[in-house]
Amino acid sequence: MSSSCTGLSRVLVAVATALVSAASSCPQAWGPPGVQYGQSGRSMTLCCPGVTAGVPVSWFRDGETRLLQGPDSGLGHELVLALADSTDEGTYICRTLDGALGGMVTLQLGYPPARPVVSCRAADYENFSCTWSPSQVSGLPTRYLTSYRKKTVPGADGQRVSPSTGPWPCPQDPPGATRCVVHGAEFWSQYRINVTEVNPLGASTRLLDVSLQSILRPDPPQGLRVESVPGYPRRLRASWMYPASWPRQPHFLLKFRLQYRPVQHPAWSMVEPAGLEEVITDAVAGLPHAVRVSARDFLDAGTWSAWSPEAWGTPSTGPGLCPYPAWIILVRSCLPSGPLPKEIPAGGKPYTQPKENPQMDSPAPPRPSLLPDPRPLDHRDPLEQMAVLASLGIFSCLGLAAGALALGLWLRLKPDGKDGPQKPGFLAPMIPVDKLPGAPNL
């Protein structure tokens, strides 16, 4: 009876050993075959992939003859590394009792995933995209799972208007990129984005709620051109087009803002045009100007786009006209060329600059310097200032003369309020009253 019990005990021990061995078999590789991953600073268990679970083996580092763990350790085909760090990374070799190669294992250490940083942007009112980046570097192979769903929106009466829909996968474009695109979104709806970072040590999820109208940011305008206006030495005409990603619909339009500055001056001037064209009327004659434009939804949804690439233009430098009034011409004569105020040519017809035959041997004009100029920017013309000052002086003299004449007349005509005989004024008659014909004798 005792022998039978002993035999039964041996069978149960063998079954338990088999179950433990099966439970401690080598984990399936998450990445390339023969690679195991672990967390730095934690204990790590390696297993020999080429032998049966529980078979004792000897462990070595690749390229070293020093025995790390012998077959009599009682750990079978496993190798335990306590508090593994970067010095434990590398390739390990396991050999059976007969010296045959059991297998090779490469250890790579890293960290579990953290919640990624996610941001979303809509370049138009129908589609939006989300991008992400890891909040910390794990040092391990990483994948991202992305999805989205339409959120439940409470109504004005506190009741739910529609049930939650989704989730749907957010396709990564291209596959494996840190960007996914949602097509056919509803402009007034809200969405919940799910981005999950996965690596061999676990997973971490970031949820982000977005509405299309709050993340709307158009692409910069395209086709910016800057041209001079012939006959107007202080004007430039800028024109541009809608971004190609923005669908042209009458109920979803864009508004624009335009900035410009002369070369060598860092300060920008800004205007908000009404359409796709703007005429700059206060350019500095003879200096190249940088111009750029930005766009935004015309109802102020979202934010302004980034600035377009700068375009350069120089005002016309053709023969000058005589736009000044006659009282300025007395002080300043018209010059052949130079900076003029906002002018209208005589006759109301713009000057057309004659075309010149291009010369193949003429050198290209030098590119203007982009270095900042420390001198303050002054749009005023010195001769024009002198003309204004002279005209002010003339008007002042005329005003003083008129005032003096009026004061003299007033003093001559003012009656004397003192008692006594009245002194005849300068308008008194020169003939006595009693000598006049028909005068009565008093």
Side-chain angles (χ1 to χ4, degrees):
M1 181 69 179
S2 60
S3 61
S4 62
C5 290
T6 303
L8 181 59
S9 299
R10 290 178 179 177
V11 171
L12 293 176
V13 170
V15 171
T17 303
L19 291 176
V20 171
S21 300
S24 61
S25 59
C26 292
Q28 186 176 0
W30 194 87
V35 180
Q36 285 188 238
Y37 302 95
Q39 183 174 352
S40 181
R42 299 287 184 88
S43 296
M44 183 66 192
T45 300
L46 303 180
C47 63
C48 188
V51 299
T52 306
V55 175
V57 295
S58 300
W59 287 91
F60 303 87
R61 290 290 294 265
D62 186 24
E64 298 180 5
T65 59
R66 182 174 62 89
L67 179 64
L68 296 178
Q69 181 177 291
D72 54 352
S73 63
L75 298 176
H77 72 304
E78 295 179 341
L79 172 65
V80 177
L81 302 175
L83 301 178
D85 56 22
S86 59
T87 60
D88 295 319
E89 290 185 306
T91 302
Y92 292 80
I93 298 175
C94 56
R95 295 184 180 274
T96 58
L97 295 177
D98 57 0
L101 178 63
M104 302 178 64
V105 179
T106 300
L107 174 62
Q108 183 177 348
L109 300 177
Y111 298 94
R115 292 196 301 172
V117 179
V118 183
S119 62
C120 297
R121 170 181 172 263
D124 57 64
Y125 52 85
E126 295 177 344
N127 313 287
F128 68 92
S129 62
C130 295
T131 58
W132 57 87
S133 60
S135 56
Q136 74 173 19
V137 179
S138 66
L140 300 177
T142 303
R143 293 196 297 259
Y144 292 93
L145 307 178
T146 53
S147 62
Y148 74 98
R149 67 178 179 86
K150 186 178 178 181
K151 287 191 62 180
T152 300
V153 181
D157 56 352
Q159 302 296 325
R160 297 180 181 273
V161 176
S162 61
S164 299
T165 55
W168 299 287
C170 183
Q172 299 176 17
D173 184 23
T178 57
R179 177 177 180 266
C180 72
V181 181
V182 176
H183 298 282
E186 298 178 1
F187 187 76
W188 304 109
S189 299
Q190 292 186 347
Y191 295 87
R192 171 161 291 179
I193 308 300
N194 183 327
V195 179
T196 301
E197 181 177 329
V198 183
N199 72 12
L201 302 182
S204 183
T205 298
R206 170 77 70 178
L207 299 177
L208 181 65
D209 294 336
V210 299
S211 61
L212 203 63
Q213 56 181 325
S214 63
I215 62 174
L216 183 63
R217 191 188 186 197
D219 290 330
Q222 298 177 344
L224 175 61
R225 298 179 57 188
V226 181
E227 301 172 332
S228 62
V229 180
Y232 294 87
R234 297 192 62 185
R235 296 190 183 186
L236 287 171
R237 178 181 290 108
S239 59
W240 56 91
M241 298 184 297
Y242 267 63
S245 59
W246 188 270
R248 292 296 301 271
Q249 297 291 339
H251 49 283
F252 283 102
L253 301 178
L254 291 177
K255 65 179 182 179
F256 304 92
R257 59 181 180 178
L258 179 144
Q259 285 188 340
Y260 60 95
R261 65 175 178 86
V263 68
Q264 298 181 353
H265 292 273
W268 292 89
S269 300
M270 186 170 69
V271 295
E272 292 195 6
L276 296 175
E277 183 178 282
E278 177 69 13
V279 176
I280 300 170
T281 59
D282 60 348
V284 180
L287 287 183
H289 287 65
V291 181
R292 60 185 185 181
V293 289
S294 177
R296 187 178 184 177
D297 176 74
F298 80 111
L299 293 179
D300 291 332
T303 57
W304 286 98
S305 73
W307 290 105
S308 67
E310 294 180 2
W312 290 83
T314 304
S316 173
T317 56
L321 303 173
C322 282
Y324 299 106
W327 60 273
I328 294 184
I329 297 178
L330 294 175
V331 181
R332 173 186 173 177
S333 60
C334 293
L335 302 178
S337 62
L340 300 176
K342 301 175 183 178
E343 71 279 7
I344 301 178
K349 297 181 180 180
Y351 173 79
T352 303
Q353 186 175 359
K355 297 182 179 180
E356 298 180 358
N357 296 327
Q359 299 179 3
M360 301 301 295
D361 298 335
S362 61
R367 182 177 178 82
S369 173
L370 300 180
L371 297 177
D373 190 348
R375 298 173 300 175
L377 179 61
D378 190 0
H379 292 274
R380 298 171 298 179
D381 188 351
L383 293 179
E384 183 177 347
Q385 297 179 39
M386 185 176 62
V388 173
L389 292 176
S391 61
L392 290 177
I394 293 174
F395 283 123
S396 300
C397 294
L398 293 176
L400 290 175
L405 180 60
L407 180 61
L409 291 176
W410 180 75
L411 291 176
R412 295 285 293 177
L413 296 177
K414 178 181 178 182
D416 192 356
K418 295 181 180 181
D419 298 337
Q422 300 291 331
K423 296 181 179 180
F426 80 102
L427 295 179
M430 301 300 295
I431 304 175
V433 177
D434 55 352
K435 300 298 184 181
L436 291 176
N441 294 325
L442 298 180

